[in-house]
Amino acid sequence: MRIFHAAILIYFQLYASSEKPVLKLALFIPGNIGGFAESKSLLPMADVARLQINSSPNYLRDYQLETHWFNTKADAGKAIQELFTFIGTEEKREYVGIVGPVFTDVTKYISELAPFFNYVSVSPTASSSSLSQASNKSMEEDINGERKYIYRNSLRLHPVETDMYKAVFQLAGQCDWDKIHILSGEGQNDMSEFRSSVIKVFTDKMKDKSLYRYSFTSSNKESIKNALKELKKSNARIIIANFDEDDAYDVFCEAYKLGFLSESPEYTGKRVWVLPSSYKNNWVTQQVNKKQSNVTCSKKEIIQAVGTYLTPQFQWNTTRLDEEMGTGYYFTETWQNYSDLFYSQYAEDCPACQIEEKAGSLMYDSVWTFAMGLDKFLYHFDVTTGRINEHQWNSNSRREELLEELLKRQGNRSSNLISAMLQLSFEGASGRIEFSNWVDRSCRSGFKVKIQQLRVLKCDNDTSDECDVELVDVCAGEDELSCETNSMWDTSIYSSRYIQTCSNSSDFKCRCPVDEPIQDQMDQIIIGIPLTSLIFFTVTALLGILLAITFLIFNLVYMKERVIKMSSPIINNIILLGAVLLYSYVPLLALTMGIDNYSILDENHLIKLCSVKLEHWVFFIGFTTTFGALFAKTWRVYTIFTSKQPRNIILSDWKLIVLIGILLSVDVVLLGTNEYLNRYKWAFQTANSTVTLNNYHLLDDTPDQYGFVTCQFDSKATEREHETPWLITVTIIYKGLLLIFGAFIAFQTRNISIPALNDSKYIGISIYTIVVIFTVAGPVSFFLKSQPELLFGIQAAGIIFSTTVMICLVFLPKAYQLRYQPKEAIKNQTVARDWDSLAVSRRESEIQNLLKQNSSCMLKTTQTVTTSVIKE
């Protein structure tokens, strides 16, 4: 059959070789060099178009078209060299125009020289946006200051490559994708311009979305790995691949090794890769085979990394097979002729060549576009009006004049030919051919865009390294994209993977993969105090409260006993009240920090605790009450025994209570002012890091969000941007100064040990303990804010320990004296009414004998106090 078709083609060629005038058309196609040898497979399709034109009764019927191949070798320098051969000399100019070049970088130079040498070119596949009239780089000013299009003598049948991404923009809008990531390969000279244009079109068209750019050096695995690590750290979900097939294998192999996978068998999230349209359908298999001995990832592993990717495409070959094309021939007939001619004359000379469906169709349409435009120009161009007139038929002599002027590059004949081509509208092999885009008249318009998706037909994840895949159309449209919502996102590389379904199947957004984890559906989990730690310290604090209550009962029951009476029981009760507040602060602090691994939804009490800063009030009031009472008792001893006139000093319990009240009032003023000036709200500070998450967990659409609960300043409630923090700072400084001064006076009264002042030594030890613990725990806690468990443990242990030591030192010695002191010494019917009657006794000599045990200085001071009290 192929021999029969080839014979028919040869017959057409011989039959057409009559004495008709010859029109020579140059084909600027690379071939026989490096990776561009396969471009030579476009030549047989040009031959098919030429033979059909020569045998057509409707176009150029009075001429014979010849095509001549100029091998540009995909090099701009070589193409320009061939261009001067094409132009010829003034005496010998044979070519009516150029079909080609194929590659954008070469096309740019040939098209830029076209107006200067007055020729016309039609490129089948050049697609860079830099050639578009919409690009500032494609415009220049003439000598009159007018802006002109540089490539005005050239046409392109391939639409601007980046225009296909409008389907991606529409899909992003339908799926509510706001975070788009672009991974670009750099250092690819032949594609660098296209890579830049992709970045530009996304930057221009997606200004309202968050666009993140990453890049790597081509063929550099370390650079690729670093870029993928950044993507993984960002947990990128929607990624635009802006690199070629050679880098694709390395990218997705490294992605697999890093665990940056497209899907998870456990979670429903997807990572959507959008690959360039230039990738071949079987690129994965080709790249794996190409690596041969250097293969480090199997086909299945590459598929697991890239997943069911999307690729935007123009809808090629939309002409129905059973309908006649605008050329007068059927598509199936044309394609059969191409196949036969390719295998009979070109396949053996070019082993790398293969049937090019898209490029072949464009080559066919390019030759026909040139022929049809030339037909309009020669037969219907009106020289008087300078326009094409379909109702006018030029005579043979007029056509010869027009052709001569075109070949000799005279006047504006090349521009007239371009104008004739711009009026064309017909069905070609690649689809509808027309130039109605007023934004870019030199580029073919009317293309519909579609999106294809990889479908995994069979992929045994356990026993086989192979996967059977195919690309299927899932979205299509020109102005409005229409997608197969019911099946588009249901496909998976895992046969047993759970597919999320929607109650409302018409809601497309419901099925779309998300561009990031869904914030409002995340469960916020607190990194706080472990429940076991909370229970332990709470029980310990409750035992401390029980101990304080026991001492309070003991103090009330035996308050008339001499040993209790002499230590000011009212002040002791105040100490115990402060101790209860300090113990209560421990569980309150834990609740404020939050319970570890509990959801924030279960911690509604945090809002109330935070809004009033209750923990501040409990701690500071408890601290001042306890330490203030200790400070007052020590201050009384210090004042009496350091005064030069002790007889004039009378410090009753009520005066000490007033001193404690003054200390508390300072706290109330500072804390109250802070509450009035500042408002607080609880805040959840996320501590999640994608680096620490396992690979599959990255694809959880609603992952648990771990973080810390903190009270932050509420600027909205106060209508101020910043907090007034000095109030709490002043309160802390105030407590620190009180501690320092308390430690000082405790040190000064360390040697006072008399029955009348029976607990002064123990009070001093309590103050030392508090000072040491708070001096150590305070600075350490400042560095443990990100470790709530350890922070709470240190603070709770410090408070419980110091408080327990304090109340035990104050009350246990009294209990011991009551238990082991002789009964007659305990009972005292003539005990003075208060501290002012300290030395009043029926036996002054007994008191004086006891005081002789002290030093001479202390003895003199004590006698003076006793004499003063007796006189009163």
Side-chain angles (χ1 to χ4, degrees):
M1 181 63 69
R2 287 180 178 174
I3 297 175
F4 174 74
H5 283 285
I8 294 177
L9 290 173
I10 294 173
Y11 170 77
F12 282 154
Q13 188 171 2
L14 293 175
Y15 176 77
S17 59
S18 60
E19 296 181 357
K20 295 179 181 179
V22 175
L23 302 176
K24 293 184 178 181
L25 184 62
L27 304 178
F28 275 48
I29 306 296
N32 297 340
I33 179 169
F36 303 107
E38 60 267 22
S39 297
K40 192 178 179 181
S41 60
L42 300 180
L43 295 178
M45 183 56 97
D47 286 344
V48 171
R50 174 180 58 83
L51 294 174
Q52 288 184 355
I53 292 167
N54 288 337
S55 61
S56 173
N58 300 320
Y59 302 100
L60 299 177
R61 53 187 175 275
D62 298 312
Y63 300 90
Q64 179 183 345
L65 183 66
E66 292 183 2
T67 55
H68 293 261
W69 177 39
F70 290 79
N71 187 1
T72 63
K73 297 185 178 181
D75 179 75
K78 176 61 177 175
I80 293 175
Q81 181 182 346
E82 294 291 340
L83 176 63
F84 285 104
T85 303
F86 156 80
I87 294 173
T89 63
E90 187 174 351
E91 294 78 19
K92 185 180 180 181
R93 288 178 175 169
E94 307 174 284
Y95 296 94
V96 293
I98 299 174
V99 170
V102 173
F103 295 102
T104 296
D105 290 345
V106 181
T107 303
K108 183 167 62 174
Y109 291 101
I110 299 301
S111 299
E112 190 172 348
L113 292 172
F116 183 77
F117 290 105
N118 214 4
Y119 60 84
V120 175
S121 66
V122 178
S123 175
T125 56
S127 58
S128 174
S129 60
S130 63
L131 298 174
S132 171
Q133 282 182 265
S135 172
N136 291 328
K137 295 181 180 180
S138 66
M139 305 301 291
E140 65 177 358
E141 291 187 1
D142 60 12
I143 57 176
N144 297 322
E146 295 182 2
R147 290 177 59 82
K148 287 189 176 182
Y149 180 45
I150 298 176
Y151 312 112
R152 55 187 174 274
N153 275 24
S154 301
L155 296 181
R156 291 166 286 126
L157 262 64
H158 195 297
V160 176
E161 188 79 15
T162 52
D163 282 353
M164 72 175 62
Y165 284 105
K166 68 181 182 181
V168 178
F169 304 149
Q170 291 188 36
L171 183 61
Q174 292 180 10
C175 288
D176 279 346
W177 290 339
D178 292 325
K179 296 181 68 175
I180 308 293
H181 304 259
I182 299 181
L183 179 61
S184 298
E186 296 180 350
Q188 305 161 347
N189 295 329
D190 57 315
M191 297 297 288
S192 58
E193 191 170 338
F194 171 69
R195 304 299 174 214
S196 300
S197 64
V198 172
I199 297 293
K200 186 178 185 304
V201 72
F202 270 88
T203 304
D204 293 342
K205 298 293 184 181
M206 307 192 76
K207 293 179 180 179
D208 59 331
K209 300 184 182 298
S210 299
L211 194 64
Y212 304 88
R213 293 172 54 183
Y214 311 82
S215 63
F216 62 86
T217 302
S218 180
S219 303
N220 187 323
K221 291 187 178 181
E222 190 63 30
S223 178
I224 292 173
K225 184 185 298 185
N226 292 334
L228 288 171
K229 285 181 179 178
E230 290 299 317
L231 281 168
K232 184 178 180 180
K233 184 177 180 180
S234 302
N235 196 12
R237 296 292 189 91
I238 313 301
I239 311 171
I240 308 298
N242 198 21
F243 45 83
D244 64 13
E245 291 182 19
D246 291 334
D247 279 328
Y249 176 85
D250 294 331
V251 168
F252 294 114
C253 185
E254 290 297 332
Y256 175 81
K257 294 177 182 178
L258 289 174
F260 190 61
L261 307 178
S262 62
E263 294 183 41
S264 160
E266 181 179 356
Y267 299 103
T268 61
K270 272 179 176 283
R271 204 176 313 283
V272 181
W273 285 89
V274 181
L275 303 189
S277 63
S278 57
Y279 284 25
K280 296 181 177 64
N281 291 358
N282 60 341
W283 69 269
V284 178
T285 303
Q286 284 188 349
Q287 289 298 318
V288 171
N289 295 337
K290 187 177 180 180
K291 297 295 180 179
Q292 297 179 356
S293 59
N294 295 325
V295 170
T296 56
C297 293
S298 65
K299 180 178 178 180
K300 183 188 72 175
E301 292 168 341
I302 298 295
I303 294 297
Q304 286 180 334
V306 70
T308 54
Y309 66 83
L310 304 177
T311 176
Q313 299 281 351
F314 291 112
Q315 289 185 279
W316 304 102
N317 305 340
T318 56
T319 305
R320 293 181 57 180
L321 302 181
D322 58 346
E323 290 184 358
E324 189 177 76
M325 295 185 293
T327 61
Y329 297 89
Y330 288 92
F331 181 85
T332 52
E333 175 188 5
T334 300
W335 205 257
Q336 185 63 52
N337 291 337
Y338 170 45
S339 177
D340 294 339
L341 193 58
F342 171 79
Y343 286 109
S344 63
Q345 297 187 20
Y346 289 90
E348 294 182 2
D349 296 336
C350 184
C353 296
Q354 58 183 353
I355 296 291
E356 295 284 348
E357 296 183 6
K358 182 174 73 173
S361 298
L362 289 170
M363 188 66 185
Y364 175 84
D365 291 340
S366 296
V367 176
W368 266 103
T369 297
F370 210 109
M372 289 182 177
L374 198 57
D375 182 88
K376 277 184 177 290
F377 171 70
L378 293 177
Y379 286 94
H380 303 289
F381 180 73
D382 188 346
V383 293
T384 58
T385 62
R387 296 180 180 179
I388 301 297
N389 185 355
E390 296 289 348
H391 303 289
Q392 173 180 308
W393 288 84
N394 291 332
S395 62
N396 186 43
S397 59
R398 174 63 71 184
R399 294 198 305 270
E400 289 179 359
E401 291 177 6
L402 290 173
L403 181 58
E404 185 69 17
E405 292 174 358
L406 179 65
L407 292 174
K408 290 185 176 182
R409 320 286 189 251
Q410 295 176 353
N412 295 322
R413 294 309 177 215
S414 59
S415 299
N416 300 144
L417 178 56
I418 284 288
S419 299
M421 292 180 182
L422 292 176
Q423 297 182 25
L424 295 176
S425 179
F426 67 97
E427 289 293 335
S430 62
R432 187 87 187 155
I433 307 295
E434 60 184 9
F435 301 90
S436 59
N437 187 352
W438 291 98
V439 178
D440 187 7
R441 288 298 306 273
S442 65
C443 185
R444 174 183 176 182
S445 60
F447 255 99
K448 292 183 179 180
V449 183
K450 66 180 179 181
I451 293 179
Q452 292 184 311
Q453 185 182 47
L454 184 76
R455 292 292 174 86
V456 180
L457 304 177
K458 180 182 179 183
C459 193
D460 193 335
N461 292 313
D462 299 323
T463 61
S464 174
D465 285 338
E466 293 299 324
C467 294
D468 295 332
V469 298
E470 67 173 353
L471 280 173
V472 298
D473 296 345
V474 291
C475 296
E478 185 173 359
D479 297 325
E480 187 67 28
L481 194 69
S482 176
C483 299
E484 296 180 3
T485 58
N486 293 330
S487 61
M488 183 175 179
W489 303 116
D490 288 352
T491 183
S492 172
I493 62 174
Y494 300 104
S495 57
S496 60
R497 183 177 184 271
Y498 168 73
I499 303 298
Q500 182 181 7
T501 57
C502 303
S503 57
N504 182 8
S505 59
S506 62
D507 187 3
F508 182 59
K509 296 177 183 178
C510 179
R511 289 185 174 272
C512 289
V514 296
D515 58 347
E516 63 178 341
I518 306 172
Q519 299 289 335
D520 57 357
Q521 295 184 19
M522 289 183 182
D523 197 2
Q524 294 179 325
I525 305 300
I526 299 173
I527 300 176
I529 313 304
L531 187 60
T532 54
S533 180
L534 172 63
I535 294 174
F536 172 78
F537 283 107
T538 300
V539 171
T540 306
L542 290 174
L543 291 175
I545 292 174
L546 183 62
L547 178 64
I549 293 174
T550 301
F551 283 145
L552 179 63
I553 295 173
F554 166 80
N555 201 54
L556 293 175
V557 171
Y558 294 101
M559 65 181 302
K560 294 190 179 294
E561 298 294 337
R562 175 183 173 85
V563 68
I564 303 299
K565 182 67 176 178
M566 297 297 289
S567 64
S568 301
I570 296 177
I571 306 301
N572 291 341
N573 291 342
I574 294 176
I575 292 174
L576 292 173
L577 177 61
V580 171
L581 289 176
L582 288 176
Y583 282 127
S584 302
Y585 173 73
V586 173
L588 185 62
L589 176 63
L591 293 177
T592 304
M593 289 183 172
I595 303 175
D596 194 43
N597 285 325
Y598 271 61
S599 170
I600 194 69
L601 298 177
D602 301 328
E603 301 284 329
N604 291 328
H605 61 271
L606 293 173
I607 301 175
K608 297 179 180 180
L609 294 178
C610 180
S611 61
V612 296
K613 281 287 186 178
L614 185 60
E615 75 277 9
H616 282 178
W617 287 91
V618 171
F619 176 76
F620 286 128
I621 297 299
F623 180 88
T624 301
T625 302
T626 302
F627 189 82
L630 290 175
F631 174 80
K633 295 181 70 172
T634 308
W635 170 254
R636 176 165 59 184
V637 175
Y638 174 79
T639 302
I640 293 175
F641 285 93
T642 59
S643 175
K644 295 181 179 180
Q645 296 180 344
R647 68 174 61 249
N648 298 326
I649 298 176
I650 301 176
L651 294 176
S652 64
D653 287 351
W654 291 110
K655 290 183 178 180
L656 297 183
I657 293 174
V658 171
L659 176 61
I660 297 171
I662 293 173
L663 296 176
L664 285 173
S665 65
V666 176
D667 277 345
V668 171
V669 170
L670 291 173
L671 293 175
T673 305
N674 181 70
E675 293 290 342
Y676 176 76
L677 294 179
N678 301 318
R679 294 290 185 273
Y680 298 93
K681 63 178 181 179
W682 70 269
F684 186 80
Q685 294 183 346
T686 305
N688 282 41
S689 173
T690 57
V691 177
T692 61
L693 297 178
N694 64 66
N695 299 327
Y696 286 149
H697 194 84
L698 286 173
L699 290 167
D700 186 359
D701 286 343
T702 57
D704 292 338
Q705 197 172 21
Y706 289 84
F708 307 103
V709 174
T710 60
C711 278
Q712 291 186 351
F713 175 70
D714 188 356
S715 59
K716 293 182 179 179
T718 58
E719 297 182 353
R720 288 186 290 111
E721 294 184 2
H722 302 290
E723 181 184 5
T724 308
W726 60 268
L727 293 166
I728 298 298
T729 304
V730 169
T731 305
I732 295 174
I733 294 175
Y734 158 60
K735 294 289 182 291
L737 294 175
L738 196 62
L739 275 175
I740 295 173
F741 191 62
F744 170 75
I745 61 175
F747 178 79
Q748 293 294 318
T749 59
R750 67 189 183 281
N751 294 323
I752 298 177
S753 177
I754 57 175
L757 307 171
N758 53 21
D759 56 2
S760 60
K761 183 176 181 180
Y762 299 118
I763 291 174
I765 296 174
S766 298
I767 293 176
Y768 292 152
T769 304
I770 294 172
V771 171
V772 171
I773 290 178
F774 278 83
T775 302
V776 174
V780 171
S781 299
F782 180 78
F783 297 100
L784 297 176
K785 291 183 178 180
S786 61
Q787 303 179 50
E789 179 182 1
L790 189 57
L791 175 63
F792 171 73
I794 291 177
Q795 292 183 350
I799 291 173
I800 292 175
F801 177 77
S802 60
T803 304
T804 303
V805 168
M806 176 193 64
I807 61 177
C808 287
L809 286 174
V810 171
F811 290 96
L812 284 180
K814 297 176 178 55
Y816 178 83
Q817 291 181 35
L818 286 174
R819 175 67 178 83
Y820 294 104
Q821 188 176 358
K823 189 172 183 181
E824 60 274 15
I826 296 176
K827 294 181 180 180
N828 189 355
Q829 303 299 326
T830 60
V831 175
R833 290 173 298 178
D834 51 24
W835 173 263
D836 296 330
S837 303
L838 171 67
V840 176
S841 175
R842 288 177 301 167
R843 294 176 298 171
E844 178 182 345
S845 60
E846 180 180 349
I847 296 176
Q848 292 178 348
N849 291 333
L850 291 173
L851 294 177
K852 288 180 182 179
Q853 300 175 10
N854 296 297
S855 61
S856 58
C857 180
M858 190 67 69
L859 176 61
K860 182 178 179 180
T861 304
T862 306
Q863 288 175 343
T864 303
V865 173
T866 305
T867 304
S868 175
V869 172
I870 292 174
K871 289 180 178 181
E872 293 179 0

